[in-house]
Amino acid sequence: VNTNMSDMQYLWIDLCLIFPLAVTMGRTHAYNKLSRYKPNGRLISFPVLSSVLGQTLIAGTFQALAAWWTFQVLHFHCDDTCP
């Protein structure tokens, strides 16, 4: 499968996805009230790691289900490039 993108495709991705995201992030103001509590300073802690691993598990599950469902479709024919 030829998946190389052209310069125009990169341009449209930049214009339609990245540029609006950059503009909206730049126009977002800070919250008007600060919290009394300090954030957790440790990145290697149970809440942080469980969140990252949970999100990875959810994304992997959906990708595996999408791949399985694609191979179950009758009009999908796999050639030598399929795993």
Side-chain angles (χ1 to χ4, degrees), residues 7-78:
D7 289 338
M8 286 302 290
Q9 288 171 323
Y10 279 115
L11 176 67
W12 282 110
I13 287 174
D14 285 344
L15 288 176
C16 296
L17 294 175
I18 300 187
F19 182 69
L21 179 65
V23 169
T24 54
M25 285 178 65
R27 295 180 55 89
T28 303
H29 300 290
Y31 193 65
N32 58 2
K33 184 175 95 173
L34 294 177
S35 173
R36 292 182 187 209
Y37 306 105
K38 286 180 14 179
N40 189 2
R42 299 182 323 164
L43 290 178
I44 309 296
S45 63
F46 180 73
V48 174
L49 289 178
S50 63
S51 174
V52 170
L53 292 175
Q55 290 294 321
T56 304
L57 182 69
I58 291 170
T61 302
F62 275 102
Q63 288 180 2
L65 286 173
W68 175 80
W69 183 69
T70 301
F71 287 119
Q72 299 302 316
V73 174
L74 294 177
H75 63 271
F76 177 76
H77 297 289
C78 187

